[in-house]
Amino acid sequence: MGLRVLLIEDDETIAEPLMEGLGNFGLTVDHVATGTDGLRGPYHDVVLLDLGLPDMDGIDVCRGIRRVSDVPIVILSARGEEADRVLGLELGADDYLAKPFSVRELVARVRAVTRRTQRAHQAFPEAEGARSLPEPPPYEPAPAPAYEPAPAPAYERPPAPAYEPAPALSYEPPATAAHDPVPDPPHDPGPLVVDRRTRQVWVGDAPVLLTPKEFDLLALLSEDPGAVYSRQQILDRVWDPHYDGPTKTLDVHVAALRRKLGHPAWIRTLRGVGFRLAVHTGPTAQVASP
Protein backbone atom coordinates (compact mmCIF):
# COMPACT_ATOMS: atom_id res chain seq x y z
CA MET A 1 0.00 0.00 0.00
CA GLY A 2 1.28 3.50 -0.88
CA LEU A 3 1.91 6.29 1.59
CA ARG A 4 -1.06 8.21 3.00
CA VAL A 5 -0.58 11.94 3.47
CA LEU A 6 -2.43 14.61 5.45
CA LEU A 7 -2.18 17.95 3.60
CA ILE A 8 -2.96 21.07 5.70
CA GLU A 9 -3.23 23.91 3.15
CA ASP A 10 -5.87 26.66 2.90
CA ASP A 11 -5.13 27.81 -0.66
CA GLU A 12 -7.20 25.68 -3.06
CA THR A 13 -5.14 26.84 -6.05
CA ILE A 14 -2.15 25.14 -4.42
CA ALA A 15 -3.89 22.21 -2.73
CA GLU A 16 -5.74 20.83 -5.79
CA PRO A 17 -2.78 20.52 -8.20
CA LEU A 18 -0.62 19.28 -5.33
CA MET A 19 -3.10 16.50 -4.51
CA GLU A 20 -3.24 15.52 -8.16
CA GLY A 21 0.56 15.52 -8.51
CA LEU A 22 1.08 13.44 -5.37
CA GLY A 23 -1.59 11.02 -6.57
CA ASN A 24 0.36 10.52 -9.80
CA PHE A 25 3.26 9.24 -7.68
CA GLY A 26 1.05 6.75 -5.82
CA LEU A 27 0.42 8.80 -2.66
CA THR A 28 -3.08 9.04 -1.16
CA VAL A 29 -3.85 12.57 0.10
CA ASP A 30 -6.42 13.74 2.66
CA HIS A 31 -6.80 17.54 2.55
CA VAL A 32 -7.95 19.99 5.25
CA ALA A 33 -7.89 23.79 5.03
CA THR A 34 -7.51 24.90 8.68
CA GLY A 35 -5.20 24.24 11.60
CA THR A 36 -8.16 23.14 13.72
CA ASP A 37 -9.07 20.35 11.32
CA GLY A 38 -5.41 19.43 10.93
CA LEU A 39 -4.94 18.97 14.67
CA ARG A 40 -7.93 16.62 14.78
CA GLY A 41 -6.07 14.14 12.55
CA PRO A 42 -5.71 11.38 11.62
CA TYR A 43 -2.13 12.25 10.66
CA HIS A 44 -1.54 9.11 8.51
CA ASP A 45 2.07 8.40 7.40
CA VAL A 46 3.25 12.00 6.97
CA VAL A 47 1.88 15.55 7.43
CA LEU A 48 2.43 18.31 4.83
CA LEU A 49 1.88 21.59 6.69
CA ASP A 50 1.47 25.14 5.33
CA LEU A 51 2.36 27.90 7.83
CA GLY A 52 -0.07 30.60 6.60
CA LEU A 53 -3.38 29.14 7.81
CA PRO A 54 -6.59 31.17 8.32
CA ASP A 55 -7.35 30.28 11.94
CA MET A 56 -3.94 29.88 13.58
CA ASP A 57 -0.23 29.99 12.84
CA GLY A 58 1.15 26.81 11.27
CA ILE A 59 3.99 26.87 13.82
CA ASP A 60 1.39 26.29 16.56
CA VAL A 61 -0.11 23.41 14.54
CA CYS A 62 3.36 21.84 14.26
CA ARG A 63 3.86 22.19 18.00
CA GLY A 64 0.40 20.73 18.74
CA ILE A 65 0.92 17.66 16.53
CA ARG A 66 4.36 17.01 17.97
CA ARG A 67 2.94 16.97 21.51
CA VAL A 68 0.85 13.87 20.70
CA SER A 69 2.54 12.16 17.74
CA ASP A 70 5.95 11.47 16.21
CA VAL A 71 4.50 11.42 12.66
CA PRO A 72 6.93 12.96 10.13
CA ILE A 73 6.06 16.63 9.41
CA VAL A 74 7.19 18.45 6.25
CA ILE A 75 6.54 22.22 6.30
CA LEU A 76 5.54 23.79 2.97
CA SER A 77 5.75 27.56 3.11
CA ALA A 78 6.50 30.74 1.22
CA ARG A 79 8.56 31.77 4.25
CA GLY A 80 11.96 30.72 2.93
CA GLU A 81 14.25 32.76 5.19
CA GLU A 82 16.76 31.00 7.41
CA ALA A 83 15.00 32.13 10.61
CA ASP A 84 11.73 30.54 9.43
CA ARG A 85 13.40 27.24 8.57
CA VAL A 86 15.31 27.09 11.84
CA LEU A 87 12.20 27.87 13.90
CA GLY A 88 10.11 25.21 12.14
CA LEU A 89 12.78 22.52 12.53
CA GLU A 90 13.40 23.41 16.18
CA LEU A 91 9.68 23.03 16.96
CA GLY A 92 9.57 19.47 15.65
CA ALA A 93 9.31 19.51 11.85
CA ASP A 94 11.37 16.87 10.02
CA ASP A 95 11.88 18.86 6.82
CA TYR A 96 11.16 22.32 5.37
CA LEU A 97 10.41 23.05 1.72
CA ALA A 98 10.08 26.66 0.53
CA LYS A 99 7.52 27.51 -2.17
CA PRO A 100 7.63 27.25 -5.11
CA PHE A 101 8.82 23.64 -5.36
CA SER A 102 8.39 20.70 -7.72
CA VAL A 103 6.14 17.76 -6.88
CA ARG A 104 9.00 15.41 -7.69
CA GLU A 105 11.22 17.01 -5.03
CA LEU A 106 8.38 16.96 -2.49
CA VAL A 107 7.76 13.24 -3.12
CA ALA A 108 11.47 12.53 -2.69
CA ARG A 109 11.52 14.39 0.64
CA VAL A 110 8.35 12.63 1.85
CA ARG A 111 9.84 9.23 1.07
CA ALA A 112 13.12 10.22 2.76
CA VAL A 113 11.51 11.27 6.07
CA THR A 114 9.25 8.20 6.15
CA ARG A 115 12.24 5.91 5.49
CA ARG A 116 14.09 7.49 8.41
CA THR A 117 11.06 6.99 10.66
CA GLN A 118 10.66 3.36 9.63
CA ARG A 119 14.35 2.65 10.26
CA ALA A 120 14.12 4.27 13.69
CA HIS A 121 11.14 2.09 14.61
CA GLN A 122 13.00 -1.01 13.44
CA ALA A 123 16.09 -0.07 15.42
CA PHE A 124 14.07 0.69 18.58
CA PRO A 125 10.99 -1.62 18.48
CA GLU A 126 8.26 -1.58 21.11
CA ALA A 127 8.81 -3.77 24.14
CA GLU A 128 6.11 -6.20 23.03
CA GLY A 129 7.58 -8.67 20.57
CA ALA A 130 11.07 -7.17 20.74
CA ARG A 131 14.01 -9.52 21.24
CA SER A 132 15.45 -9.33 24.76
CA LEU A 133 19.18 -8.81 25.13
CA PRO A 134 21.08 -10.97 27.67
CA GLU A 135 21.62 -9.24 30.96
CA PRO A 136 25.23 -8.21 31.71
CA PRO A 137 27.01 -9.93 34.61
CA PRO A 138 26.64 -8.17 37.96
CA TYR A 139 29.37 -5.84 39.00
CA GLU A 140 30.21 -3.69 41.98
CA PRO A 141 30.26 -0.02 40.98
CA ALA A 142 32.73 2.36 42.56
CA PRO A 143 31.16 4.90 44.93
CA ALA A 144 30.26 8.06 43.05
CA PRO A 145 31.62 11.35 44.36
CA ALA A 146 29.02 13.58 45.92
CA TYR A 147 27.91 16.35 43.58
CA GLU A 148 27.53 19.78 45.09
CA PRO A 149 25.88 22.21 42.66
CA ALA A 150 27.11 25.76 42.52
CA PRO A 151 24.67 28.26 44.01
CA ALA A 152 22.45 29.77 41.33
CA PRO A 153 22.72 33.55 40.99
CA ALA A 154 19.72 35.28 42.47
CA TYR A 155 17.64 37.29 40.03
CA GLU A 156 17.31 40.83 41.22
CA ARG A 157 14.25 42.61 39.90
CA PRO A 158 14.98 46.33 39.40
CA PRO A 159 13.08 48.78 41.58
CA ALA A 160 9.73 49.92 40.26
CA PRO A 161 9.96 53.16 38.27
CA ALA A 162 8.56 56.27 39.92
CA TYR A 163 5.69 56.96 37.54
CA GLU A 164 2.00 56.21 37.33
CA PRO A 165 1.58 52.86 35.54
CA ALA A 166 -0.74 52.51 32.58
CA PRO A 167 -3.83 50.23 32.72
CA ALA A 168 -2.97 46.58 33.21
CA LEU A 169 -2.74 43.71 30.77
CA SER A 170 -3.97 40.31 31.79
CA TYR A 171 -4.52 37.08 29.91
CA GLU A 172 -7.66 36.80 27.76
CA PRO A 173 -8.24 33.12 26.83
CA PRO A 174 -9.34 32.29 23.26
CA ALA A 175 -13.00 31.59 22.56
CA THR A 176 -13.73 27.91 23.13
CA ALA A 177 -15.06 25.66 20.37
CA ALA A 178 -15.92 22.00 19.89
CA HIS A 179 -12.20 21.45 19.37
CA ASP A 180 -10.00 24.23 20.70
CA PRO A 181 -6.64 24.07 18.84
CA VAL A 182 -5.02 26.48 21.34
CA PRO A 183 -5.63 24.99 24.82
CA ASP A 184 -5.89 27.31 27.80
CA PRO A 185 -2.82 27.46 30.06
CA PRO A 186 -3.05 25.36 33.26
CA HIS A 187 -3.20 28.54 35.37
CA ASP A 188 -3.50 32.31 35.03
CA PRO A 189 -0.03 33.42 33.86
CA GLY A 190 -0.36 36.73 35.67
CA PRO A 191 -0.03 40.31 34.40
CA LEU A 192 2.13 41.23 31.44
CA VAL A 193 4.54 44.06 32.29
CA VAL A 194 6.34 45.90 29.49
CA ASP A 195 8.83 48.43 30.88
CA ARG A 196 10.02 50.74 28.11
CA ARG A 197 12.48 52.58 30.36
CA THR A 198 14.54 49.46 31.16
CA ARG A 199 13.41 47.46 28.09
CA GLN A 200 12.39 44.57 30.33
CA VAL A 201 9.32 42.30 30.22
CA TRP A 202 7.68 40.08 32.83
CA VAL A 203 4.77 37.64 32.77
CA GLY A 204 3.69 37.53 36.38
CA ASP A 205 6.94 37.32 38.37
CA ALA A 206 8.89 35.60 35.56
CA PRO A 207 11.23 37.74 33.45
CA VAL A 208 10.98 37.21 29.66
CA LEU A 209 14.18 37.59 27.65
CA LEU A 210 13.51 39.13 24.22
CA THR A 211 15.65 40.21 21.30
CA PRO A 212 15.63 43.97 20.52
CA LYS A 213 13.19 43.51 17.60
CA GLU A 214 10.90 41.25 19.66
CA PHE A 215 10.79 43.89 22.43
CA ASP A 216 10.06 46.70 19.95
CA LEU A 217 7.22 44.65 18.43
CA LEU A 218 5.68 43.86 21.84
CA ALA A 219 6.09 47.47 23.01
CA LEU A 220 4.23 48.70 19.92
CA LEU A 221 1.32 46.30 20.44
CA SER A 222 1.13 47.27 24.12
CA GLU A 223 0.80 50.99 23.30
CA ASP A 224 -2.91 50.44 22.65
CA PRO A 225 -3.88 47.02 24.06
CA GLY A 226 -6.56 45.32 21.96
CA ALA A 227 -6.13 47.63 18.96
CA VAL A 228 -5.30 46.04 15.63
CA TYR A 229 -2.02 47.07 13.99
CA SER A 230 -1.71 46.35 10.28
CA ARG A 231 1.32 44.51 8.97
CA GLN A 232 2.49 47.68 7.17
CA GLN A 233 2.11 49.79 10.33
CA ILE A 234 4.24 47.32 12.28
CA LEU A 235 6.92 47.12 9.57
CA ASP A 236 7.06 50.94 9.37
CA ARG A 237 7.33 51.38 13.15
CA VAL A 238 9.46 48.40 14.19
CA TRP A 239 11.61 47.91 11.10
CA ASP A 240 11.84 50.89 8.71
CA PRO A 241 9.38 53.02 6.68
CA HIS A 242 11.38 52.03 3.60
CA TYR A 243 11.72 48.34 4.52
CA ASP A 244 11.57 46.26 1.34
CA GLY A 245 12.55 42.84 2.71
CA PRO A 246 10.25 39.79 3.06
CA THR A 247 7.17 40.64 5.14
CA LYS A 248 7.03 37.08 6.46
CA THR A 249 9.86 37.96 8.84
CA LEU A 250 7.12 39.61 10.91
CA ASP A 251 5.36 36.22 11.29
CA VAL A 252 8.61 34.67 12.56
CA HIS A 253 8.96 37.34 15.27
CA VAL A 254 5.28 36.99 16.28
CA ALA A 255 5.68 33.20 16.59
CA ALA A 256 8.81 33.68 18.73
CA LEU A 257 7.00 36.19 20.98
CA ARG A 258 4.05 33.82 21.49
CA ARG A 259 6.44 31.05 22.50
CA LYS A 260 8.44 33.22 24.92
CA LEU A 261 5.31 34.72 26.54
CA GLY A 262 4.18 31.18 27.32
CA HIS A 263 0.96 30.96 25.31
CA PRO A 264 0.00 31.71 21.67
CA ALA A 265 -3.24 33.49 22.65
CA TRP A 266 -1.34 36.56 23.91
CA ILE A 267 -1.07 37.83 20.32
CA ARG A 268 -4.05 37.37 17.99
CA THR A 269 -3.86 37.26 14.19
CA LEU A 270 -6.55 38.94 12.08
CA ARG A 271 -6.03 37.27 8.73
CA GLY A 272 -5.45 39.79 5.97
CA VAL A 273 -5.34 42.69 8.46
CA GLY A 274 -2.64 42.39 11.13
CA PHE A 275 -2.10 41.63 14.82
CA ARG A 276 -3.36 42.77 18.21
CA LEU A 277 -2.49 42.13 21.85
CA ALA A 278 -5.33 40.03 23.33
CA VAL A 279 -5.80 41.71 26.71
CA HIS A 280 -8.34 43.35 28.96
CA THR A 281 -7.83 46.03 31.60
CA GLY A 282 -8.21 45.20 35.27
CA PRO A 283 -7.60 46.71 38.71
CA THR A 284 -4.75 44.38 39.70
CA ALA A 285 -2.57 43.99 36.59
CA GLN A 286 -0.08 46.64 35.58
CA VAL A 287 1.78 47.66 32.44
CA ALA A 288 4.83 49.85 32.74
CA SER A 289 5.09 51.73 29.44
CA PRO A 290 6.76 55.08 30.09
Side-chain angles (χ1 to χ4, degrees), residues 252-269:
V252 177
H253 283 77
V254 169
L257 265 180
R258 286 168 168 159
R259 175 169 51 84
K260 291 182 178 182
L261 293 177
H263 198 271
W266 273 114
I267 300 177
R268 299 290 182 83
T269 301

Side-chain angles (χ1 to χ4, degrees), residues 138-142:
Y139 67 97
E140 187 71 26

Side-chain angles (χ1 to χ4, degrees), residues 1-6 26-30 42-47:
M1 180 181 292
L3 293 174
R4 195 172 187 91
V5 174
L6 173 63
L27 281 67
T28 303
V29 183
D30 286 349
Y43 307 130
H44 302 312
D45 298 308
V46 63
V47 174

Side-chain angles (χ1 to χ4, degrees), residues 3 5 11 26 29 35 47 64 78 86 90 99 123 140 200 209-210 273:
L3 293 174
V5 174
D11 191 338
V29 183
V47 174
V86 170
E90 284 183 346
K99 299 175 182 176
E140 187 71 26
Q200 292 179 300
L209 300 179
L210 302 180
V273 181

Side-chain angles (χ1 to χ4, degrees), residues 10 27 117-118 152 179 204 219 227 234 236 290:
D10 67 316
L27 281 67
T117 303
Q118 290 167 358
H179 176 83
I234 297 173
D236 288 347

Side-chain angles (χ1 to χ4, degrees), residues 1 3 6 11 17 24 30 46 96 116 119 135 162 173 202 230 232 250:
M1 180 181 292
L3 293 174
L6 173 63
D11 191 338
N24 292 335
D30 286 349
V46 63
Y96 194 112
R116 289 198 297 269
R119 283 198 298 267
E135 293 186 2
W202 294 272
S230 71
Q232 192 58 53
L250 173 56

Side-chain angles (χ1 to χ4, degrees), residues 272-284:
V273 181
F275 302 93
R276 69 180 178 89
L277 201 60
V279 299
H280 65 269
T281 57
T284 57

Side-chain angles (χ1 to χ4, degrees), residues 12 14 58 94 110 115 117 126 131 139-140 153 177 205-206 209 225:
E12 293 293 337
I14 296 176
D94 297 271
V110 166
R115 278 197 304 270
T117 303
E126 296 294 333
R131 180 168 32 170
Y139 67 97
E140 187 71 26
D205 293 327
L209 300 179

